[in-house]
PDB file of all heavy atoms in Angstrom:
ATOM      1  N   GLU P 336      27.184  12.035 -20.917  1.00  0.00           N
ATOM      2  CA  GLU P 336      28.211  11.562 -21.717  1.00  0.00           C
ATOM      3  C   GLU P 336      27.904  11.500 -23.185  1.00  0.00           C
ATOM      4  O   GLU P 336      28.611  11.826 -24.070  1.00  0.00           O
ATOM      5  CB  GLU P 336      28.674  10.123 -21.273  1.00  0.00           C
ATOM      6  CG  GLU P 336      29.353  10.098 -19.843  1.00  0.00           C
ATOM      7  CD  GLU P 336      29.709   8.790 -19.468  1.00  0.00           C
ATOM      8  OE1 GLU P 336      29.390   7.764 -20.193  1.00  0.00           O
ATOM      9  OE2 GLU P 336      30.243   8.537 -18.386  1.00  0.00           O
ATOM     10  N   THR P 337      26.588  11.131 -23.545  1.00  0.00           N
ATOM     11  CA  THR P 337      26.118  11.115 -24.852  1.00  0.00           C
ATOM     12  C   THR P 337      26.087  12.517 -25.484  1.00  0.00           C
ATOM     13  O   THR P 337      26.599  12.730 -26.624  1.00  0.00           O
ATOM     14  CB  THR P 337      24.706  10.567 -24.863  1.00  0.00           C
ATOM     15  OG1 THR P 337      24.677   9.295 -24.272  1.00  0.00           O
ATOM     16  CG2 THR P 337      24.199  10.446 -26.303  1.00  0.00           C
ATOM     17  N   PHE P 338      25.586  13.523 -24.747  1.00  0.00           N
ATOM     18  CA  PHE P 338      25.712  14.875 -25.227  1.00  0.00           C
ATOM     19  C   PHE P 338      27.183  15.381 -25.389  1.00  0.00           C
ATOM     20  O   PHE P 338      27.426  16.010 -26.480  1.00  0.00           O
ATOM     21  CB  PHE P 338      24.992  15.765 -24.256  1.00  0.00           C
ATOM     22  CG  PHE P 338      24.868  17.277 -24.669  1.00  0.00           C
ATOM     23  CD1 PHE P 338      24.036  17.564 -25.717  1.00  0.00           C
ATOM     24  CD2 PHE P 338      25.618  18.199 -24.068  1.00  0.00           C
ATOM     25  CE1 PHE P 338      24.007  18.984 -26.143  1.00  0.00           C
ATOM     26  CE2 PHE P 338      25.507  19.556 -24.438  1.00  0.00           C
ATOM     27  CZ  PHE P 338      24.761  19.920 -25.508  1.00  0.00           C
ATOM     28  N   ALA P 339      28.023  15.028 -24.451  1.00  0.00           N
ATOM     29  CA  ALA P 339      29.418  15.410 -24.606  1.00  0.00           C
ATOM     30  C   ALA P 339      30.005  14.738 -25.837  1.00  0.00           C
ATOM     31  O   ALA P 339      30.811  15.288 -26.538  1.00  0.00           O
ATOM     32  CB  ALA P 339      30.110  15.050 -23.291  1.00  0.00           C
ATOM     33  N   ASN P 340      29.716  13.428 -26.011  1.00  0.00           N
ATOM     34  CA  ASN P 340      30.260  12.724 -27.189  1.00  0.00           C
ATOM     35  C   ASN P 340      29.770  13.345 -28.464  1.00  0.00           C
ATOM     36  O   ASN P 340      30.566  13.449 -29.473  1.00  0.00           O
ATOM     37  CB  ASN P 340      29.799  11.229 -27.086  1.00  0.00           C
ATOM     38  CG  ASN P 340      30.482  10.461 -25.957  1.00  0.00           C
ATOM     39  OD1 ASN P 340      31.589  10.904 -25.478  1.00  0.00           O
ATOM     40  ND2 ASN P 340      29.826   9.432 -25.468  1.00  0.00           N
ATOM     41  N   VAL P 341      28.548  13.777 -28.526  1.00  0.00           N
ATOM     42  CA  VAL P 341      28.056  14.375 -29.762  1.00  0.00           C
ATOM     43  C   VAL P 341      28.805  15.714 -30.002  1.00  0.00           C
ATOM     44  O   VAL P 341      29.271  16.030 -31.168  1.00  0.00           O
ATOM     45  CB  VAL P 341      26.568  14.745 -29.607  1.00  0.00           C
ATOM     46  CG1 VAL P 341      26.068  15.514 -30.777  1.00  0.00           C
ATOM     47  CG2 VAL P 341      25.785  13.404 -29.624  1.00  0.00           C
ATOM     48  N   LEU P 342      29.062  16.550 -28.966  1.00  0.00           N
ATOM     49  CA  LEU P 342      29.773  17.769 -29.115  1.00  0.00           C
ATOM     50  C   LEU P 342      31.229  17.460 -29.512  1.00  0.00           C
ATOM     51  O   LEU P 342      31.864  18.178 -30.409  1.00  0.00           O
ATOM     52  CB  LEU P 342      29.760  18.564 -27.840  1.00  0.00           C
ATOM     53  CG  LEU P 342      28.407  19.170 -27.470  1.00  0.00           C
ATOM     54  CD1 LEU P 342      28.516  19.889 -26.128  1.00  0.00           C
ATOM     55  CD2 LEU P 342      27.846  20.111 -28.562  1.00  0.00           C
ATOM     56  N   GLN P 343      31.798  16.412 -28.930  1.00  0.00           N
ATOM     57  CA  GLN P 343      33.226  16.109 -29.271  1.00  0.00           C
ATOM     58  C   GLN P 343      33.306  15.597 -30.711  1.00  0.00           C
ATOM     59  O   GLN P 343      34.275  15.962 -31.342  1.00  0.00           O
ATOM     60  CB  GLN P 343      33.703  14.983 -28.252  1.00  0.00           C
ATOM     61  CG  GLN P 343      35.179  14.654 -28.457  1.00  0.00           C
ATOM     62  CD  GLN P 343      36.050  15.843 -27.990  1.00  0.00           C
ATOM     63  OE1 GLN P 343      35.680  16.623 -27.181  1.00  0.00           O
ATOM     64  NE2 GLN P 343      37.158  15.985 -28.617  1.00  0.00           N
ATOM     65  N   ASP P 344      32.397  14.811 -31.189  1.00  0.00           N
ATOM     66  CA  ASP P 344      32.481  14.365 -32.560  1.00  0.00           C
ATOM     67  C   ASP P 344      32.341  15.530 -33.541  1.00  0.00           C
ATOM     68  O   ASP P 344      33.013  15.633 -34.462  1.00  0.00           O
ATOM     69  CB  ASP P 344      31.339  13.360 -32.834  1.00  0.00           C
ATOM     70  CG  ASP P 344      31.548  12.022 -31.978  1.00  0.00           C
ATOM     71  OD1 ASP P 344      32.694  11.763 -31.602  1.00  0.00           O
ATOM     72  OD2 ASP P 344      30.490  11.307 -31.761  1.00  0.00           O
ATOM     73  N   ARG P 345      31.475  16.398 -33.162  1.00  0.00           N
ATOM     74  CA  ARG P 345      31.257  17.587 -34.067  1.00  0.00           C
ATOM     75  C   ARG P 345      32.537  18.488 -34.021  1.00  0.00           C
ATOM     76  O   ARG P 345      32.993  18.935 -35.131  1.00  0.00           O
ATOM     77  CB  ARG P 345      30.049  18.413 -33.551  1.00  0.00           C
ATOM     78  CG  ARG P 345      29.766  19.603 -34.469  1.00  0.00           C
ATOM     79  CD  ARG P 345      28.563  20.468 -33.857  1.00  0.00           C
ATOM     80  NE  ARG P 345      27.384  19.621 -33.865  1.00  0.00           N
ATOM     81  CZ  ARG P 345      26.253  20.123 -33.281  1.00  0.00           C
ATOM     82  NH1 ARG P 345      26.183  21.275 -32.842  1.00  0.00           N
ATOM     83  NH2 ARG P 345      25.192  19.298 -33.315  1.00  0.00           N
ATOM     84  N   LEU P 346      33.130  18.604 -32.918  1.00  0.00           N
ATOM     85  CA  LEU P 346      34.374  19.382 -32.836  1.00  0.00           C
ATOM     86  C   LEU P 346      35.489  18.665 -33.582  1.00  0.00           C
ATOM     87  O   LEU P 346      36.248  19.346 -34.281  1.00  0.00           O
ATOM     88  CB  LEU P 346      34.777  19.564 -31.374  1.00  0.00           C
ATOM     89  CG  LEU P 346      36.049  20.333 -31.057  1.00  0.00           C
ATOM     90  CD1 LEU P 346      35.927  21.815 -31.634  1.00  0.00           C
ATOM     91  CD2 LEU P 346      36.324  20.413 -29.630  1.00  0.00           C
ATOM     92  N   ASN P 347      35.593  17.409 -33.481  1.00  0.00           N
ATOM     93  CA  ASN P 347      36.570  16.643 -34.211  1.00  0.00           C
ATOM     94  C   ASN P 347      36.439  16.751 -35.737  1.00  0.00           C
ATOM     95  O   ASN P 347      37.365  16.948 -36.509  1.00  0.00           O
ATOM     96  CB  ASN P 347      36.563  15.132 -33.892  1.00  0.00           C
ATOM     97  CG  ASN P 347      37.017  14.936 -32.405  1.00  0.00           C
ATOM     98  OD1 ASN P 347      37.725  15.705 -31.823  1.00  0.00           O
ATOM     99  ND2 ASN P 347      36.519  13.873 -31.777  1.00  0.00           N
ATOM    100  N   ARG P 348      35.156  16.779 -36.219  1.00  0.00           N
ATOM    101  CA  ARG P 348      34.906  16.996 -37.633  1.00  0.00           C
ATOM    102  C   ARG P 348      35.290  18.348 -38.131  1.00  0.00           C
ATOM    103  O   ARG P 348      35.978  18.524 -39.212  1.00  0.00           O
ATOM    104  CB  ARG P 348      33.458  16.719 -37.966  1.00  0.00           C
ATOM    105  CG  ARG P 348      33.013  15.183 -37.889  1.00  0.00           C
ATOM    106  CD  ARG P 348      31.655  14.990 -38.550  1.00  0.00           C
ATOM    107  NE  ARG P 348      30.634  15.789 -37.890  1.00  0.00           N
ATOM    108  CZ  ARG P 348      29.901  15.355 -36.896  1.00  0.00           C
ATOM    109  NH1 ARG P 348      30.058  14.093 -36.467  1.00  0.00           N
ATOM    110  NH2 ARG P 348      28.902  16.050 -36.393  1.00  0.00           N
ATOM    111  N   GLU P 349      34.977  19.376 -37.284  1.00  0.00           N
ATOM    112  CA  GLU P 349      35.379  20.708 -37.672  1.00  0.00           C
ATOM    113  C   GLU P 349      36.976  20.856 -37.645  1.00  0.00           C
ATOM    114  O   GLU P 349      37.484  21.530 -38.539  1.00  0.00           O
ATOM    115  CB  GLU P 349      34.742  21.787 -36.688  1.00  0.00           C
ATOM    116  CG  GLU P 349      33.172  21.811 -36.794  1.00  0.00           C
ATOM    117  CD  GLU P 349      32.659  22.814 -35.791  1.00  0.00           C
ATOM    118  OE1 GLU P 349      33.334  23.354 -35.025  1.00  0.00           O
ATOM    119  OE2 GLU P 349      31.404  22.960 -35.880  1.00  0.00           O
ATOM    120  N   LEU P 350      37.552  20.287 -36.728  1.00  0.00           N
ATOM    121  CA  LEU P 350      39.043  20.363 -36.670  1.00  0.00           C
ATOM    122  C   LEU P 350      39.669  19.627 -37.859  1.00  0.00           C
ATOM    123  O   LEU P 350      40.648  20.127 -38.367  1.00  0.00           O
ATOM    124  CB  LEU P 350      39.567  19.769 -35.307  1.00  0.00           C
ATOM    125  CG  LEU P 350      39.261  20.516 -34.061  1.00  0.00           C
ATOM    126  CD1 LEU P 350      39.774  19.820 -32.924  1.00  0.00           C
ATOM    127  CD2 LEU P 350      39.871  21.962 -34.095  1.00  0.00           C
ATOM    128  N   ALA P 351      39.006  18.509 -38.248  1.00  0.00           N
ATOM    129  CA  ALA P 351      39.541  17.821 -39.430  1.00  0.00           C
ATOM    130  C   ALA P 351      39.399  18.640 -40.632  1.00  0.00           C
ATOM    131  O   ALA P 351      40.306  18.750 -41.593  1.00  0.00           O
ATOM    132  CB  ALA P 351      38.854  16.518 -39.603  1.00  0.00           C
ATOM    133  N   ILE P 352      38.261  19.340 -40.822  1.00  0.00           N
ATOM    134  CA  ILE P 352      38.109  20.253 -41.993  1.00  0.00           C
ATOM    135  C   ILE P 352      39.170  21.341 -42.021  1.00  0.00           C
ATOM    136  O   ILE P 352      39.690  21.653 -43.073  1.00  0.00           O
ATOM    137  CB  ILE P 352      36.655  20.789 -42.061  1.00  0.00           C
ATOM    138  CG1 ILE P 352      35.674  19.612 -42.231  1.00  0.00           C
ATOM    139  CG2 ILE P 352      36.553  21.791 -43.112  1.00  0.00           C
ATOM    140  CD1 ILE P 352      34.258  20.039 -42.109  1.00  0.00           C
ATOM    141  N   LYS P 353      39.320  21.933 -40.802  1.00  0.00           N
ATOM    142  CA  LYS P 353      40.292  23.078 -40.735  1.00  0.00           C
ATOM    143  C   LYS P 353      41.775  22.489 -41.041  1.00  0.00           C
ATOM    144  O   LYS P 353      42.558  23.254 -41.667  1.00  0.00           O
ATOM    145  CB  LYS P 353      40.264  23.626 -39.307  1.00  0.00           C
ATOM    146  CG  LYS P 353      38.980  24.387 -39.060  1.00  0.00           C
ATOM    147  CD  LYS P 353      38.948  25.053 -37.735  1.00  0.00           C
ATOM    148  CE  LYS P 353      37.712  25.898 -37.379  1.00  0.00           C
ATOM    149  NZ  LYS P 353      37.781  26.491 -36.046  1.00  0.00           N
ATOM    150  N   ASP P 354      42.011  21.336 -40.623  1.00  0.00           N
ATOM    151  CA  ASP P 354      43.427  20.785 -40.887  1.00  0.00           C
ATOM    152  C   ASP P 354      43.585  20.586 -42.366  1.00  0.00           C
ATOM    153  O   ASP P 354      44.687  20.840 -42.914  1.00  0.00           O
ATOM    154  CB  ASP P 354      43.537  19.484 -40.167  1.00  0.00           C
ATOM    155  CG  ASP P 354      43.667  19.603 -38.685  1.00  0.00           C
ATOM    156  OD1 ASP P 354      43.935  20.717 -38.198  1.00  0.00           O
ATOM    157  OD2 ASP P 354      43.449  18.676 -37.973  1.00  0.00           O
ATOM    158  N   GLN P 355      42.538  20.130 -43.091  1.00  0.00           N
ATOM    159  CA  GLN P 355      42.583  20.075 -44.507  1.00  0.00           C
ATOM    160  C   GLN P 355      42.820  21.379 -45.182  1.00  0.00           C
ATOM    161  O   GLN P 355      43.634  21.498 -46.110  1.00  0.00           O
ATOM    162  CB  GLN P 355      41.362  19.341 -45.076  1.00  0.00           C
ATOM    163  CG  GLN P 355      41.156  17.955 -44.627  1.00  0.00           C
ATOM    164  CD  GLN P 355      39.934  17.269 -45.138  1.00  0.00           C
ATOM    165  OE1 GLN P 355      39.084  17.955 -45.817  1.00  0.00           O
ATOM    166  NE2 GLN P 355      39.699  16.023 -44.871  1.00  0.00           N
ATOM    167  N   ILE P 356      42.116  22.397 -44.730  1.00  0.00           N
ATOM    168  CA  ILE P 356      42.245  23.713 -45.330  1.00  0.00           C
ATOM    169  C   ILE P 356      43.638  24.256 -45.155  1.00  0.00           C
ATOM    170  O   ILE P 356      44.357  24.847 -45.995  1.00  0.00           O
ATOM    171  CB  ILE P 356      41.146  24.718 -44.749  1.00  0.00           C
ATOM    172  CG1 ILE P 356      39.857  24.206 -45.097  1.00  0.00           C
ATOM    173  CG2 ILE P 356      41.435  26.088 -45.112  1.00  0.00           C
ATOM    174  CD1 ILE P 356      38.642  24.988 -44.526  1.00  0.00           C
ATOM    175  N   ILE P 357      44.172  24.042 -43.881  1.00  0.00           N
ATOM    176  CA  ILE P 357      45.556  24.512 -43.581  1.00  0.00           C
ATOM    177  C   ILE P 357      46.534  23.799 -44.455  1.00  0.00           C
ATOM    178  O   ILE P 357      47.519  24.407 -44.928  1.00  0.00           O
ATOM    179  CB  ILE P 357      45.780  24.294 -41.999  1.00  0.00           C
ATOM    180  CG1 ILE P 357      44.929  25.280 -41.227  1.00  0.00           C
ATOM    181  CG2 ILE P 357      47.238  24.554 -41.807  1.00  0.00           C
ATOM    182  CD1 ILE P 357      45.018  24.993 -39.708  1.00  0.00           C
ATOM    183  N   ALA P 358      46.395  22.494 -44.596  1.00  0.00           N
ATOM    184  CA  ALA P 358      47.349  21.688 -45.467  1.00  0.00           C
ATOM    185  C   ALA P 358      47.291  22.237 -46.937  1.00  0.00           C
ATOM    186  O   ALA P 358      48.388  22.425 -47.559  1.00  0.00           O
ATOM    187  CB  ALA P 358      46.971  20.314 -45.426  1.00  0.00           C
ATOM    188  N   GLU P 359      46.116  22.544 -47.467  1.00  0.00           N
ATOM    189  CA  GLU P 359      46.050  23.105 -48.811  1.00  0.00           C
ATOM    190  C   GLU P 359      46.692  24.535 -48.886  1.00  0.00           C
ATOM    191  O   GLU P 359      47.450  24.829 -49.891  1.00  0.00           O
ATOM    192  CB  GLU P 359      44.596  23.232 -49.252  1.00  0.00           C
ATOM    193  CG  GLU P 359      43.913  21.762 -49.405  1.00  0.00           C
ATOM    194  CD  GLU P 359      42.422  21.961 -49.774  1.00  0.00           C
ATOM    195  OE1 GLU P 359      41.962  23.115 -49.809  1.00  0.00           O
ATOM    196  OE2 GLU P 359      41.777  20.926 -50.028  1.00  0.00           O
ATOM    197  N   LEU P 360      46.463  25.283 -47.885  1.00  0.00           N
ATOM    198  CA  LEU P 360      47.096  26.635 -47.873  1.00  0.00           C
ATOM    199  C   LEU P 360      48.605  26.576 -47.802  1.00  0.00           C
ATOM    200  O   LEU P 360      49.370  27.377 -48.446  1.00  0.00           O
ATOM    201  CB  LEU P 360      46.583  27.461 -46.756  1.00  0.00           C
ATOM    202  CG  LEU P 360      45.085  27.845 -46.825  1.00  0.00           C
ATOM    203  CD1 LEU P 360      44.685  28.668 -45.602  1.00  0.00           C
ATOM    204  CD2 LEU P 360      44.862  28.782 -48.102  1.00  0.00           C
ATOM    205  N   GLN P 361      49.096  25.599 -47.021  1.00  0.00           N
ATOM    206  CA  GLN P 361      50.631  25.375 -46.947  1.00  0.00           C
ATOM    207  C   GLN P 361      51.134  24.952 -48.241  1.00  0.00           C
ATOM    208  O   GLN P 361      52.237  25.414 -48.643  1.00  0.00           O
ATOM    209  CB  GLN P 361      50.890  24.373 -45.883  1.00  0.00           C
ATOM    210  CG  GLN P 361      50.591  24.889 -44.398  1.00  0.00           C
ATOM    211  CD  GLN P 361      50.935  23.889 -43.362  1.00  0.00           C
ATOM    212  OE1 GLN P 361      51.057  22.661 -43.691  1.00  0.00           O
ATOM    213  NE2 GLN P 361      50.878  24.233 -42.119  1.00  0.00           N
ATOM    214  N   LYS P 362      50.474  24.099 -48.974  1.00  0.00           N
ATOM    215  CA  LYS P 362      50.852  23.693 -50.333  1.00  0.00           C
ATOM    216  C   LYS P 362      50.930  24.919 -51.252  1.00  0.00           C
ATOM    217  O   LYS P 362      51.908  25.048 -52.021  1.00  0.00           O
ATOM    218  CB  LYS P 362      49.985  22.571 -50.860  1.00  0.00           C
ATOM    219  CG  LYS P 362      50.098  21.251 -50.157  1.00  0.00           C
ATOM    220  CD  LYS P 362      49.146  20.237 -50.739  1.00  0.00           C
ATOM    221  CE  LYS P 362      49.317  18.892 -50.080  1.00  0.00           C
ATOM    222  NZ  LYS P 362      48.308  17.863 -50.602  1.00  0.00           N
ATOM    223  N   GLN P 363      49.899  25.704 -51.292  1.00  0.00           N
ATOM    224  CA  GLN P 363      49.918  26.925 -52.078  1.00  0.00           C
ATOM    225  C   GLN P 363      51.065  27.839 -51.785  1.00  0.00           C
ATOM    226  O   GLN P 363      51.669  28.428 -52.657  1.00  0.00           O
ATOM    227  CB  GLN P 363      48.571  27.642 -51.963  1.00  0.00           C
ATOM    228  CG  GLN P 363      47.353  26.792 -52.543  1.00  0.00           C
ATOM    229  CD  GLN P 363      46.063  27.597 -52.403  1.00  0.00           C
ATOM    230  OE1 GLN P 363      46.052  28.690 -51.861  1.00  0.00           O
ATOM    231  NE2 GLN P 363      44.942  26.764 -52.731  1.00  0.00           N
ATOM    232  N   VAL P 364      51.248  28.090 -50.500  1.00  0.00           N
ATOM    233  CA  VAL P 364      52.343  28.957 -50.023  1.00  0.00           C
ATOM    234  C   VAL P 364      53.698  28.390 -50.484  1.00  0.00           C
ATOM    235  O   VAL P 364      54.628  29.138 -50.993  1.00  0.00           O
ATOM    236  CB  VAL P 364      52.376  29.096 -48.485  1.00  0.00           C
ATOM    237  CG1 VAL P 364      53.636  29.755 -48.026  1.00  0.00           C
ATOM    238  CG2 VAL P 364      51.075  29.921 -48.083  1.00  0.00           C
ATOM    239  N   ALA P 365      53.952  27.090 -50.392  1.00  0.00           N
ATOM    240  CA  ALA P 365      55.187  26.487 -50.850  1.00  0.00           C
ATOM    241  C   ALA P 365      55.293  26.688 -52.351  1.00  0.00           C
ATOM    242  O   ALA P 365      56.446  26.918 -52.801  1.00  0.00           O
ATOM    243  CB  ALA P 365      55.204  25.022 -50.505  1.00  0.00           C
ATOM    244  N   ALA P 366      54.289  26.490 -53.092  1.00  0.00           N
ATOM    245  CA  ALA P 366      54.354  26.709 -54.560  1.00  0.00           C
ATOM    246  C   ALA P 366      54.682  28.095 -54.920  1.00  0.00           C
ATOM    247  O   ALA P 366      55.565  28.378 -55.864  1.00  0.00           O
ATOM    248  CB  ALA P 366      53.019  26.263 -55.179  1.00  0.00           C
ATOM    249  N   LEU P 367      54.017  29.108 -54.217  1.00  0.00           N
ATOM    250  CA  LEU P 367      54.304  30.514 -54.472  1.00  0.00           C
ATOM    251  C   LEU P 367      55.806  30.849 -54.089  1.00  0.00           C
ATOM    252  O   LEU P 367      56.411  31.615 -54.829  1.00  0.00           O
ATOM    253  CB  LEU P 367      53.381  31.376 -53.720  1.00  0.00           C
ATOM    254  CG  LEU P 367      51.897  31.320 -54.120  1.00  0.00           C
ATOM    255  CD1 LEU P 367      50.998  32.140 -53.238  1.00  0.00           C
ATOM    256  CD2 LEU P 367      51.770  31.883 -55.600  1.00  0.00           C
TER     257      LEU P 367
END
Side-chain angles (χ1 to χ4, degrees):
E336 291 179 358
T337 304
F338 182 71
N340 293 335
V341 172
L342 293 179
Q343 186 66 32
D344 293 340
R345 183 181 299 177
L346 180 61
N347 292 335
R348 288 195 298 269
E349 293 179 356
L350 291 177
I352 295 173
K353 290 182 179 180
D354 292 340
Q355 293 178 358
I356 296 174
I357 291 172
E359 293 178 357
L360 292 176
Q361 288 177 349
K362 290 181 180 179
Q363 295 179 4
V364 170
L367 292 175

